[in-house]
Structure formats: structure tokens, C-alpha cells
């Protein structure tokens, strides 16, 4: 039996399109609203990345920082985030959820406790921004034992030698960072170049699902139709901010946006 | 966990950059792995390259102004009554603080690797000012990240940075202080590491930055060792070295050459910022037993809540106002080589008043924290005890705060 993440990729492949992955911050702008957003966008997205907000993020740009600080200010705690996922899973059990965050949150929870709680609440995978290879070797093994996908990151600065070692240790999914940027940066590299790097990864590691993230928006997404999956984050976070500023309902606006994104790659 | 003898502490980390198996490391995004590895290779080679050391020493001597003075504070000694009180006047260094050593070395490294731009963080503004000076000298473009709150309270240094042609980029996130400036600087590096070199302003950040900074500031103790032998004919039998600790670069540099001495002979005392005496907030993770966490790429004792969110700090001194602390100091604390304590805002101000009353010396608010503890403890020591305080910064940058807190005469009379 395929794990839920691989199954989501397979379904997208069968439909001849990349999987759509969304990123929203847990607790943005409130626990209840972020759950509502997850429910609404899961009608279109294949995999949901749930951001675990941290207040000293070293890789996030302005939009995701704004969402994260808003969530923290509204009092979100780690246990609330697990609760959001388990509440979501009660309704959409088969939709994969991936946490994306910084290692200190896991470290303070205790690696083992954290993984236990992930399993219990239905988290399927983890992206830990500041736990690179080889520092993540032990933890990623622990994840595997607990049937949680540890998702390795690759970037344009990753050497070929590292690329080989990292993909070898990777589980079912790999995340390629499209360019030198924090999240939310404008796409400053040509899609052609990004796809060339993507294809290099696929050549070395054809069986693993590779997604591209950073700089993917409504404007750029259709350039990448021939890939395993695409992640949109900052544009969604920005839409939440915009909706709140205009006193509109972020749930409706964000779900409209995600539906459009899906159409562009279908 | 053990401190090894005859191996520089900066080189006592393990393969992954952890001191004592648990402090430091490289908790960084994948994108930074390569530039960090490049810097490691470069530094490991150059730190034992005779020509590079000659070049460094030449700049330290002729540009930074080595050695900085080592002076006896006779009046203060008489007033306190107890140990002999001395000071290493590191604020003599070009620019007015120890931050010049690290800035110079980083610019030399950047230059050699062909980078055109160097970026850095700053709290008190000294790290930024010095980086802007060194960048100008070595022909590099310079960008400094500084919390908006610090920009307001450390104007003289902001003006100096701008005069040197640096871009000063205000950081409005979080507490708008040093912690946010370092985060923003690292984020900028993530996006520009192909063309840009980064200097971290203290012995914090990913392991290589801790090592480069500690290696650079160790100039202070190299000078002091010579000066002590000149003065006393030997290293005194009872020597106590007091230093304020923010990120920990001045204190580490002040102590490094004395690491192998028995602590009964050469004791290290680090003074953290206790914050306002009425506030629960502080910047003293070692003194108040903060838990280990990850901040800016390194494992360290850090002020945080149970979830792992970094807590806001409070201190009158922008240079010490940081929730974490160098992995080197976490290590020195746990192996019990150094002792750490804190002074409050009020105690630092009081010490500033005492020092400026008795001596022709004007320590900034950071070293005033160290003076506070040294003065208190020196009373109880014998006359043959030699107490030395690293006066690592000049109070010119603090004139606004000093005037507000103590009145005009404390600014004018000095
Ligand atoms: C004069 C002075 N002293 C001390 C510090 C604290 O830093 P560190 O502990 O790295 O010496 C600073 C930092 O800005 C400073 O400007």
C-alpha cells in the first residue's frame, strides 16, 4: 500500500498534471480560521503543507513572516497545531498533511514525543528548514520508523556530490528550492534553468517525487506543468493578509486562488 | 564534556561543529551549506598560513592600533579597597571597540574569495560601524542590518556607518533589536550568498562564524599576556578577568590565551545583562538557567518559551540585548572553566558613574556591566589579586541614554 503522500502524487500523475501543494501557517489568523482554510483549499490541493510558525525564521520572506507573527500573536501553541491537524483529518482523512517548520520547535517538544504526536494527529510528513543533511540523518531515520516522511531539501547551491548522498537518504518526496531566495521572493531564475536542475535531480533519483517551491505563483505556475509537484506558499499567505486588511473573508478568497492555481496546471 | 589543553577552543568542536557534543553546529537552510563549507575550507587553510597571519597582524598593528592600553586604575583601586583594579582599554582600538578585529578578518576573507559585497548585523552599532570601516578600507560594498529600536538608541554609530558609505537597513520585525537584525541578515545571505559575504557580529551563528570571530578577538588576550609579563614579570598568581557577555566575542577574546591556566590562578568572570531590576525580562541565559535551544543556526542556552519560541529580552545596553549566547560560552560554563553572573541596568549605570568619577575612562554601557560586578567583588579580594576589566567599548555611542538617565553632567564632563 502506498503511503498517503505517494498516493497523492500517483493520482496527480494519473491525471497528467503535477500535484498541487499549498502552504498555510497554522493559526493564521486564528486556530479556527486556519482550520477552515485547510478544509476549503483541500478541495483543490493534493497535499497540504502546514507551517509551524516560529518567531526567528531564518529562511522566510516577508509574507510568511507576517502570517507566522500573526499566528503567534494570536496565541498559537504546538499542541493547538496538532489539534488543527487532527480536527482536519477527522473530515478529510486521506488528504496528506506535511508540517513545515524549524527544528527548535521539534527539539523542545522532544523528537520522540513530537513524532508520536504527529502520528496520532495524522501528520504524514515533515520539512525541517534548518535541519540539513547530514545533520538530519538520525532524525530522518526516526521518522521513517514512525512512517513519517522526512522531506529532504535541495537547492541550486547543492553540489552534485551532496545531491547524490541526499537523494540516496531521501524518503519518497524531495523538495527542490528553485532559486537563492527566502520564501516569497520573485522568481529571479528562468523556468528553463529551474527545470534543467529539476531534470538533473530526476535523472539521479527517478523514483522519488520531486516538488519545486519558492517563487511559484499564479503567474509562474504554468511554466512547470511537467513536474511531479509544485508548492505555492507566500502568495497564499499574502492573500490572507490582503483579505484581512480589506475586511474580506480569507477562507473564500484563498480557496478561490487555490482553485485557479489548480486549473492552471490541469 | 571536557576542555582540552593545548588545542585552541575554537578548534575543539567535533566534525559537525558541536562543542562538548551539544553546543553550536550548523542548523541552516540547505542553500547555506555550500557557502558555509567554502568559508570553512578557506578559513581552515588561512588560519595557519604565515602570509595571511602577517597580513592580519600588519592591519591590527597599523590600522586597528595594537596593542591597546593596559592601565592601572589607581583611584578606583583606592576607592574600592581590596584587589588591584586594572583595565584593558580595548576601546582604544580604531572605531572604539573590539568589533574591529572580527570585521577586519571577515573583510580580508571576503576580499580573497572575490566577493564584492559584505553584510553584517549590529545591535549597539559597533559591529556595523567597524564592518563599514573595514569594508571601506578594503573596497567592499557594505550593508548593515539593525533593529529599528537600536537605530533609535544608538544614533552616533548609525551616523558613522552611513558616513562610511554603508547601507543601514532597519529591521522592524519582532522586538526590533539584535536578534531580529541577525535573522534578517541571515535571510539576506540565503538570497544572495553567491555574490555576498556575511560577517556575524559576535561569536554566534553557524559554527564557522563562531570560530572566525573567536580567532579574531583573541588578539585582545595575546596583547594582554605580553603586557602582564612586562608589568609583573610573570602571569600573576591571582588573576581575575571580568568581561561583559552579549554574544560573547569580547570575553572569549579576552580569555582565550589564558585558557590552559588553572582557574584558581586565572579566573574568568562573564557578566550578562540582567535587564531592568523591576522587569522579569533579561538577556542573561547562562545566569538564569535558560534551556538549550536553536538560535541563528547554533544550539545554545537561549531564552525561550516551552514551545521553543525565542523570548524577547530587555537591557539598557543594546550590545548585550540578545536572548542567546555563544556556544563557546555554553561550553566554558558546563566544563566550569568560566563563571557567569549578571548585572542589572541600574547596577551598570551606577558602575558607569563610579568609574567616570574616579578615572579618566569612559566605558560604554556594555563594559559597565562588567565593572559593576568587578567593583563589588574586588572589595573582598586581597591586595595581591589582580582584577582586570575589559573596557571593550566607549560611551560616546550611549550619550543619549546616559543623558536621559543620569543628566547632562555625565555626558559633558567626559
Ligand atoms: C562595546 C560592546 N561590548 C560588548 C558587546 C557585546 O558583544 P560580545 O559579547 O560579542 O562582546 C558589544 C556588542 O555590540 C559592544 O558593542
Amino acid at each position: 500500500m502506498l503511503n498517503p503522500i505517494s498516493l497523492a502524487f500517483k493520482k496527480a500523475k494519473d491525471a497528467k498534471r503535477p500535484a498541487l501543494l499549498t502552504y498555510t501557517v497554522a493559526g493564521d489568523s486564528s486556530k479556527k480560521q486556519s482550520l477552515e482554510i485547510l478544509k476549503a483549499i483541500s478541495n483543490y490541493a493534493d497535499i497540504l503543507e502546514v507551517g509551524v510558525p516560529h518567531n526567528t525564521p531564518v529562511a522566510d520572506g516577508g509574507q510568511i513572516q507576517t502570517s507566522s507573527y500573526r499566528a503567534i500573536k494570536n496565541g498559537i501553541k504546538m499542541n493547538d497545531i496538532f489539534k488543527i491537524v487532527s480536527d482536519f483529518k477527522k473530515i478529510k482523512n486521506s488528504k496528506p498533511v506535511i508540517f513545515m517548520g524549524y527544528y527548535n520547535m521539534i527539539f523542545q517538544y522532544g523528537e520522540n514525543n513530537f513524532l508520536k504526536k504527529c502520528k496520532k494527529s495524522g501528520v504524514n510528513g515533515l520539512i525541517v528548514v534548518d535541519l540539513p543533511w547530514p545533520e538530519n540523518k538520525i532524525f530522518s531515520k526516526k521518522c521513517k520508523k514512525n512512517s513519517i516522511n522526512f522531506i529532504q531539501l535541495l537547492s541550486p547551491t547543492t553540489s552534485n556530490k551532496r545531491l547524490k548522498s541526499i537523494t540516496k537518504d531521501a524518503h519518497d518526496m524531495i523538495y527542490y528550492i528553485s532559486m537563492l531566495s527566502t520564501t516569497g521572493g520573485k522568481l529571479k531564475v528562468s523556468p528553463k534553468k529551474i527545470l534543467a536542475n529539476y531534470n538533473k535531480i530526476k535523472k539521479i533519483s527517478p523514483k522519488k517525487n520531486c516538488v519545486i517551491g519558492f517563487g511559484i505563483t499564479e503567474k509562474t505556475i504554468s511554466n512547470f506543468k511537467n513536474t511531479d509537484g509544485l508548492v505555492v506558499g507566500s502568495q497564499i499567505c499574502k492573500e490572507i493578509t490582503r483579505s484581512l486588511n480589506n475586511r474580506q473573508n480569507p477562507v473564500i478568497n484563498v480557496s478561490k486562488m487555490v482553485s485557479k492555481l489548480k486549473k492552471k496546471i490541469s | 564534556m571536557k576542555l582540552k589543553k593545548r588545542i585552541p577552543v575554537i578548534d575543539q568542536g567535533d566534525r559537525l561543529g558541536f562543542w562538548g557534543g551539544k553546543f553550536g553546529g550548523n542548523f541552516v537552510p540547505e542553500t547555506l551549506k555550500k557557502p558555509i563549507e567554502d568559508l570553512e575550507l578557506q578559513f581552515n587553510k588561512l588560519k595557519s598560513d604565515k602570509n595571511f597571519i602577517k597580513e592580519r597582524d600588519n592591519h591590527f598593528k597599523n590600522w586597528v592600533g595594537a596593542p591597546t592600553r593596559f592601565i592601572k586604575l589607581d583611584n578606583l583601586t583606592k576607592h574600592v579597597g581590596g584587589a588591584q583594579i586594572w583595565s584593558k582599554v580595548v576601546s582604544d582600538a580604531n572605531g572604539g571597540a573590539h568589533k574591529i578585529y572580527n570585521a577586519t578578518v571577515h573583510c580580508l576573507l571576503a576580499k580573497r574569495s572575490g566577493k564584492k559585497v559584505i553584510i553584517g548585523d549590529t545591535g549597539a552599532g559597533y559591529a556595523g560601524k567597524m564592518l563599514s570601516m573595514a569594508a571601506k578600507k578594503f573596497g567592499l560594498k557594505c550593508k548593515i542590518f539593525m533593529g529599528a529600536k537600536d537605530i533609535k538608541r544608538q544614533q552616533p554609530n548609525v551616523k558613522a556607518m552611513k558616513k562610511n558609505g554603508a547601507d543601514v537597513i532597519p529591521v522592524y520585525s519582532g522586538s526590533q533589536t539584535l536578534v531580529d537584525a541577525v535573522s534578517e541578515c541571515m535571510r539576506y545571505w540565503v538570497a544572495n550568498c553567491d555574490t555576498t559575504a556575511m560577517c556575524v557580529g559576535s561569536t554566534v551563528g553557524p559554527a564557522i562564524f563562531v570560530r572566525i570571530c573567536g580567532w579574531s578577538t583573541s588578539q585582545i588576550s595575546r596583547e594582554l599576556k605580553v603586557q602582564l609579563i612586562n608589568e609583573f614579570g610573570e602571569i600573576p598568581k591571582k588573576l581575575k578577568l571580568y568581561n561583559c557577555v552579549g554574544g560573547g566575542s569580547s570575553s572569549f577574546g579576552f580569555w582565550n590565551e589564558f585558557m590552559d591556566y588553572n582557574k584558581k590562578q586565572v579566573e574568568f568572570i562573564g557578566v550578562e545583562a540582567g535587564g531592568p531590576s523591576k522587569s522579569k525580562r533579561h538577556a542573561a541565559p547562562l545566569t538564569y538557567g535558560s534551556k538549550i535551544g536553536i538560535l541563528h543556526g547554533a544550539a545554545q542556552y537561549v531564552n525561550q518559551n516551552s514551545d521553543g519560541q525565542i523570548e524577547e529580552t530587555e537591557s539598557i545596553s543594546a550590545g548585550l540585548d540578545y536572548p542567546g549566547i555563544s556556544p563557546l560560552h555554553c561550553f566554558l560554563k558546563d566544563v566550569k572553566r568560566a563563571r557567569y553572573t549578571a548585572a542589572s541596568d541600574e547596577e551598570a549605570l551606577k558602575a558607569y558613574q563610579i568609574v567616570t568619577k574616579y578615572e579618566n575612562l569612559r566605558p560604554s554601557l556594555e563594559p559597565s556591566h562588567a565593572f559593576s560586578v568587578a567593583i563589588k567583588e574586588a572589595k573582598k579580594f586581597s591586595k595581591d589579586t589582580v582584577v582586570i576589566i575589559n573596557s571593550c567599548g566607549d560611551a560616546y555611542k550611549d550619550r543619549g541614554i546616559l543623558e536621559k538617565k543620569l543628566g547632562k553632567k555625565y555626558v559633558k564632563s567626559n
Side-chain angles (χ1 to χ4, degrees), chain B residues 97-99 124 126 202 244-251 319-320 364 366-367 392-393:
Chain B
H98 63 287
K99 302 280 179 190
Y126 270 134
S202 184
C244 61
V245 184
S249 63
S250 52
S251 44
L320 306 181
S364 69
E366 291 82 13
C392 55

Side-chain angles (χ1 to χ4, degrees), chain B residues 115-135:
Chain B
K115 297 276 177 11
K116 301 274 187 289
V117 186
I118 192 157
I119 58 170
D121 59 80
T122 196
Y126 270 134
K129 177 184 169 188
M130 308 311 183
L131 193 62
S132 72
M133 284 166 57

Side-chain angles (χ1 to χ4, degrees), chain B residues 87-92 361-364 367 371 389-393:
Chain B
S87 180
K88 173 82 177 143
V89 192
V90 171
S91 61
D92 281 351
L361 186 70
R362 198 173 54 166
S364 69
F371 272 104
I389 301 106
N390 179 1
S391 193
C392 55

Side-chain angles (χ1 to χ4, degrees), chain A residues 10-232:
Chain A
K10 185 173 178 298
K11 279 188 196 159
K13 218 157 273 169
D14 291 346
K16 299 202 162 39
R17 60 170 178 84
L20 178 61
L21 291 84
T22 54
Y23 170 99
T24 51
V25 173
D28 183 26
S29 65
S30 65
K31 293 170 214 168
K32 196 165 146 239
Q33 192 169 68
S34 68
L35 176 61
E36 292 307 315
I37 289 175
L38 287 178
K39 284 190 210 159
I41 60 182
S42 63
N43 292 324
Y44 313 103
D46 300 293
I47 297 173
L48 302 172
E49 279 183 24
V50 172
V52 176
H54 186 50
N55 69 356
T56 50
V58 292
D60 285 309
Q63 286 97 7
I64 290 180
Q65 279 184 54
T66 303
S67 281
S68 298
Y69 299 150
R70 192 158 50 216
I72 294 168
K73 203 168 158 210
N74 288 341
I76 193 85
K77 301 288 254 189
M78 201 58 237
N79 281 332
D80 302 324
I81 302 174
F82 284 121
K83 176 91 177 8
I84 290 172
V85 176
S86 60
D87 285 351
F88 171 76
K89 287 278 179 149
K90 273 179 206 146
I91 300 152
K92 301 240 178 173
N93 186 34
S94 63
K95 191 67 74 177
V97 168
I98 292 172
F99 269 170
M100 180 161 183
Y102 291 84
Y103 183 62
N104 198 37
M105 304 290 286
I106 299 171
F107 188 61
Q108 297 313 320
Y109 212 92
E111 288 185 351
N112 297 337
N113 271 342
F114 192 89
L115 290 176
K116 226 193 275 166
K117 200 73 198 229
C118 282
K119 248 178 123 166
K120 215 166 136 194
S121 21
V123 176
N124 307 97
L126 292 177
I127 300 174
V128 191
V129 181
D130 57 349
L131 193 65
W133 188 91
E135 279 81 359
N136 62 35
K137 275 183 154 184
I138 297 170
F139 184 61
S140 87
K141 270 189 200 140
K142 263 191 202 171
C143 289
K144 193 155 208 170
K145 261 199 202 139
N146 285 282
S147 318
I148 301 224
N149 251 280
F150 184 89
I151 294 142
Q152 298 282 359
L153 294 149
L154 297 170
S155 108
T157 57
T158 309
S159 67
N160 284 342
K161 190 166 161 240
R162 263 182 84 74
L163 194 66
K164 280 183 192 141
S165 319
I166 296 174
T167 47
K168 212 173 116 225
D169 277 357
H171 302 175
D172 313 280
M173 174 182 159
I174 303 170
Y175 190 129
Y176 178 63
I177 299 167
S178 65
M179 56 180 171
L180 300 194
S181 173
T182 52
T183 54
K186 254 213 175 102
L187 205 61
K188 59 180 180 182
V189 183
S190 72
K192 210 171 134 196
K193 223 173 180 172
I194 295 169
L195 288 169
N197 281 339
Y198 169 85
N199 288 326
K200 186 169 88 184
I201 299 167
K202 285 303 286 185
K203 215 166 159 189
I204 292 172
S205 185
K207 291 223 181 85
K208 288 173 186 170
N209 295 296
C210 181
V211 304
I212 302 177
F214 287 44
I216 309 291
T217 60
E218 277 182 57
K219 265 202 191 122
T220 60
I221 196 165
S222 45
N223 291 305
F224 303 99
K225 277 188 189 169
N226 290 318
T227 57
D228 296 340
L230 298 165
V231 189
V232 183

Side-chain angles (χ1 to χ4, degrees), chain B residues 380-393:
Chain B
K380 300 176 226 153
F381 297 145
S382 58
K383 279 203 162 47
D384 59 342
T385 305
V386 176
V387 160
I388 311 177
I389 301 106
N390 179 1
S391 193
C392 55

